[in-house]
Every structure is written in C-alpha cells, then in structure tokens.
Amino acid sequence: MIKPLGDRVVIEALAKEEMTKSGIVLPDTVKEKPQEGKIVAVGTGKTLENGQKVALDVNVGDKIIFSKYAGTEVKVEGKEYLIISERDILAII
Amino acid sequence: MIKPLGDRVVIEALAKEEMTKSGIVLPDTVKEKPQEGKIVAVGTGKTLENGQKVALDVNVGDKIIFSKYAGTEVKVEGKEYLIISERDILAII
Amino acid sequence: MIKPLGDRVVIEALAKEEMTKSGIVLPDTVKEKPQEGKIVAVGTGKTLENGQKVALDVNVGDKIIFSKYAGTEVKVEGKEYLIISERDILAII
Amino acid sequence: MIKPLGDRVVIEALAKEEMTKSGIVLPDTVKEKPQEGKIVAVGTGKTLENGQKVALDVNVGDKIIFSKYAGTEVKVEGKEYLIISERDILAII
Amino acid sequence: MIKPLGDRVVIEALAKEEMTKSGIVLPDTVKEKPQEGKIVAVGTGKTLENGQKVALDVNVGDKIIFSKYAGTEVKVEGKEYLIISERDILAII
Amino acid sequence: MIKPLGDRVVIEALAKEEMTKSGIVLPDTVKEKPQEGKIVAVGTGKTLENGQKVALDVNVGDKIIFSKYAGTEVKVEGKEYLIISERDILAII
Amino acid sequence: MIKPLGDRVVIEALAKEEMTKSGIVLPDTVKEKPQEGKIVAVGTGKTLENGQKVALDVNVGDKIIFSKYAGTEVKVEGKEYLIISERDILAII
C-alpha cells in the first residue's frame, strides 16, 4: 500500500462525463484536467513549529475538489494516482 | 453539500446590473468580473502555528466583497461556485 | 454599512486641489492619484500566530496618508471607496 | 501634526552642500538623492507576533542616515517629508 | 559511510523497466528520470524554531516516491546516490 | 560618532595590496571590491520575535570578511564607511 | 585563525582526481567544481527565534559533501577557503 508523508494525501482522479453545450461528448485529449478525486490514503499530519503534529481534516473515502495542476502524478503497480498536499484541497463534496 | 477546508469559503457570485454612463446595458462578455458574492459554506477555520484553530469572521449568508481574480471556480451539481480563502475577503456589505 | 475584515480599513479618498507651479488647475485625468483619505470603517483587527487579536491603531474619522496604489477600489451603493490594509497606512495627519 | 504608524518615522531630508572634487557646486538636478535626515515624528512601535509592542530605537530630533530610495515622499501643509520604516534607518549620526 | 545532515536522506535510485505501450523497451537516454528509490541513510532530524529536534518519518530500507528533480546527485566511492530533503519525499510504497 | 541601528555594524574597508600573478600592482579602478574591513561601531542588537534583544557576535576593532556587494556605502565627515548587517559578516580574521 | 560567524563553517576544498570514462585526466579548467571539502573551522551556532543558540552538527576535521555553488570563496594569508552555511552541507562522508 502507498503511504503519503506529512500533510499529503493520495488521490484517485474521478472521470467526469464531459459534454459541450451542443451535446457532443469530448474525446480524452480535449477534456479539462479533472479537479475531483477520491482520497485513497492520508498522511500522518503536518508538524507545526512547536513540534505538535496536526491530523488531516480529510479521510480515506472523501470525495474532494482540488486545485487544478496541484500535486504530482505517480504510477504505483500500474495504476495512476495524484499525491497532493492537504492545503491544495479546496473542499469535500 | 460542499464543505470548504481550512479558512476557505464557498461563494455564489452576485450578478450586477452593469450599465455604462450613457445608459447601455452591457452584454455578458464585456462585463467586469463580479467582486460581490454570498457565502454559502464556510470552512472550520485556520490552524495557527501553536495548533489553535481560529474560526472564520464570516458566516453563511453574508454578502461580501472579495479581491478580483481571487479563488478557484468550481462546478458542483451543475452550479458554479467560487472557493476563496478568507484572507481574500475584503469586507462584509 | 460596509464592514472590512481583519486589519483592513475602508477609506474615502480626499480630493486635493491640485495646481501646477504656474497656477493652472489640472483637469482630473492629469492629477496624481490621491494619497490622502478619511477612514469610514475599520476591521476588528489582525490575528497573531498566538491567536491574539490586535486592534487597529486607527479609528473612524482619522485623516490618513496611505501608500500610492495600495488597496482595492470598490463601489458600494454608488459610492467609491478604497479598502486597504492597515500596514499600507503611513501616517495619521 | 503628522503621526506615523507602527515602526515608521517621519523625516525631514537634510540638504547637503554637494561639491565635486574640482570645486564646482552642483545644481539641484545633478545632486544625488540625500541619505541624511532629521526625525520629526516617530511611530508607537512594531507589534511582534506575541502581541508585544516594541518602541523604536530612534527619537525625534535624531539625525540619521537611511537607505537610498527607501520610504515614501509625502507633502503635508506644503512641506515635503519622507516616511520610512525604522528598518531602513542605517545609523544615527 | 555517508551520513546526511538535518532532515536529509540518502537514496539509491531504483531502476524501472520502462516500456512503451507498443511494447518497446526504451534505451537509457529516453527514459524518464526515476522517482522511486530506496533509503540508505537518514539524517538526525530537523531542528524546529523552539530548539526541538524532530526525527524523520522514514527509515533506512524504506522504498519511497520522491519529487522529480528534487535533491542533489552525489558520487561516493564510485557509487551514485541522491541526497534529498524529507519534505521532497511524497510517499512510502 | 556614528551609531548603527539594530544588528548593523559600521566598517572601515581595508585596502589590499593587489598584485597580479605576473607581479604588476593594479591601479585602483581594476582592483576587486575589498571584502575585508575593521569594525568601528556596532549596533545594540537584533530584536527577536519574542521581544528579546540579541547582542552582536562581533566587537569594535574586529577584522572581518564580509559578503561582496553587501551593505551601503556612506560618507560621514568626509570619511567613507560601509554599513552592513551582521548576517553579511562571514568570519572574523 | 579565521572564525566563521553563526551557522557558518570554513572549508578547504578537496581536490578530486577527475578522469573521463575513456581514461583521460582532465586539466583544471575542464574539471567540475569540487563538492567535497574538509572543515577547518566552525561557527558558534545559529540563534533561534526564541533566543536559544544551536550548536552545529559538524566538527573541525569532518569531510563533507556540500551543495555545488554554495558559499563564498575567500583568501586568507594566501590560502583559499570556502565559507558556507551549515544548511548547505548535504552529508558527512
């Protein structure tokens, strides 16, 4: 299993059925980068300057919206994930 | 429901009837980006370096002015929102 | 009423009778951006990293000098204001 | 009277008789920007992150050397002043 | 033995059998820079602003994913290593 | 006497007999900027974020090496000095 | 003797016999800048924001690897040294 460090989480991007106003389903290359994902692993938290460790505000299974272009794409055992910092998570949906 | 993280809020932009001095109502593409919105959800607050969590100074329902170009536009269940950090809120009106 | 957040204040810019050395009153477009204003509303203060809230050093009614180009111009109920951070106020006059 | 905020001071620039090595007194436009001034007003001090207010190390009447190009020029009641932050004061002379 | 300072770790990059979708094994010059490695030495930890030393969250032998282009390549006794800061480690795999 | 503020020191640059490898003494305009000086005055110290004042680690009379291009050149009573921050002093020699 | 300030150390660069794969010894101008050195003097440590002084993790005599291009080259009594900050030391070897 993949274990993110610090305040990072591992995300599985959620595919969005993308359709233009005129009703045409867009092929993959034209689609916008997804901004929604499901958390599959969370780090142990961020260490503050006083040494205290702060647990994350999100949990495994949460569906989230995150900042476009945030994070790093990785491939583990043939599957693609995105590792992002909690501060790049905008909201839980 | 959408739940913003940390010191973020979710905003519904308020349309402004925009009219030039000569009285012509401007079409959508010429209008300035709105800077006013209504808060529809607030985060649980910012974590300070001493571990303390500080609640936001704004509440759901507040009408606010925010920094032009601040935040990230998201679309949840077909509706458009703006997610911004509390520090980009200039004032409550 | 407009209520600024944090360490921000709302300012009404003060018109300055601008006159060149040769005595000609300048039209509006040639005038320098005003740097003086009157405070019409103050925020509740800045939150320090220890969680303490620090009240502002300026009050409603104070006439101030502020950094040129600081702040954001807003229009509330047809009137123009400038919202600036207290750190951009140079002095009370 | 003008009252600077925080760690700022108000300075009256000191004219320097500027003379080239060959003994020619330079006209105003060729002179270097002055770096010396006399303090005419001091702020109430800087607020540290623990909420403590630290008084300035300079007093009204001190003659100082300051960083070239530091600060903001203001005109109050027809007289020109420079408002600078204490951290841009290099030394008392 | 090589002993990294502070919050740094020494990494041995892991070779990845890289194969294109059409099944061709890529020669070394076309391969992407590896992002996976095995930790061979860890520093004694980071010193916080309160003087406390925080041990690392990774150990010798951990297989990790790290930020592409992070760290410094060094050659010790003929062998190549990468020295990176713990904050550039994304996850343990 | 000139009194530097905070963590600054006043330095008298030390002339270095500069000679090329072939033995030619270089005229002033070709010489490198000196990096050595003698401290003639020290500030009262830096104020930390907890309000504590930290005395400098150097004293009047110390011969030092400082970062090339650091500091500000000033002229007091016809004599040239350099005012630099203690953090730009590399070593005492 | 040269005494570095704060968290700095004085280093004597270690010459590396540099040889290309084809076995040719490179002349000095083609060689890479060395990244290895021996510490000849250490500073008294870094002062944290709480006023505490933290001793360095390296000692005189340690052989180290440091960041390429870090530090400042100085010449003391005809000998060349490099003065670098401890944070630019990657590892002890």
Side-chain angles (χ1 to χ4, degrees), chain A residues 12-20 24-38 63-68 90 93, chain B residues 2 72-81 83:
Chain A
E12 209 177 82
L14 295 181
K16 264 211 282 199
E17 198 69 48
E18 215 140 313
M19 213 176 294
T20 64
I24 300 165
V25 179
L26 292 169
D28 211 71
T29 51
V30 187
K31 281 183 192 165
E32 263 195 41
K33 242 186 117 174
Q35 273 191 278
E36 289 179 24
K38 207 173 78 186
K63 280 184 59 183
I64 59 161
I65 303 181
F66 52 89
S67 298
K68 223 181 280 190
L90 300 172
I93 47 175
Chain B
I2 178 166
T72 305
E73 290 171 0
V74 298
K75 204 173 193 164
V76 180
E77 294 159 20
K79 236 183 126 168
E80 281 189 355
Y81 297 101
I83 299 179

Side-chain angles (χ1 to χ4, degrees), chain E residues 47 62 77-78 84 93:
Chain E
T47 302
D62 282 352
E77 293 158 22
I84 68 172
I93 48 175

Side-chain angles (χ1 to χ4, degrees), chain B residues 16-35:
Chain B
K16 263 212 282 198
E17 199 67 49
E18 215 141 312
M19 213 176 293
T20 64
K21 287 185 179 168
S22 51
I24 299 165
V25 179
L26 293 169
D28 211 71
T29 51
V30 188
K31 280 181 192 165
E32 263 194 41
K33 243 186 116 175
Q35 273 191 279

Side-chain angles (χ1 to χ4, degrees), chain B:
Chain B
M1 189 43 212
I2 178 166
K3 286 193 304 178
L5 281 199
D7 69 339
R8 291 189 183 87
V9 301
V10 181
I11 287 173
E12 209 178 83
L14 295 181
K16 263 212 282 198
E17 199 67 49
E18 215 141 312
M19 213 176 293
T20 64
K21 287 185 179 168
S22 51
I24 299 165
V25 179
L26 293 169
D28 211 71
T29 51
V30 188
K31 280 181 192 165
E32 263 194 41
K33 243 186 116 175
Q35 273 191 279
E36 289 179 25
K38 206 173 80 187
I39 295 180
V40 298
V42 300
T44 52
K46 186 187 165 179
T47 301
L48 301 179
E49 273 302 319
N50 64 7
Q52 195 185 327
K53 203 149 197 165
V54 181
L56 300 196
D57 283 337
V58 291
N59 296 296
V60 172
D62 283 351
K63 281 184 58 182
I64 58 160
I65 303 182
F66 53 89
S67 298
K68 224 181 280 191
Y69 311 118
T72 305
E73 290 171 0
V74 298
K75 204 173 193 164
V76 180
E77 294 159 20
K79 236 183 126 168
E80 281 189 355
Y81 297 101
L82 191 72
I83 299 179
I84 68 172
S85 172
E86 194 196 30
R87 72 175 159 271
D88 290 319
I89 303 181
L90 300 171
I92 302 174
I93 48 176

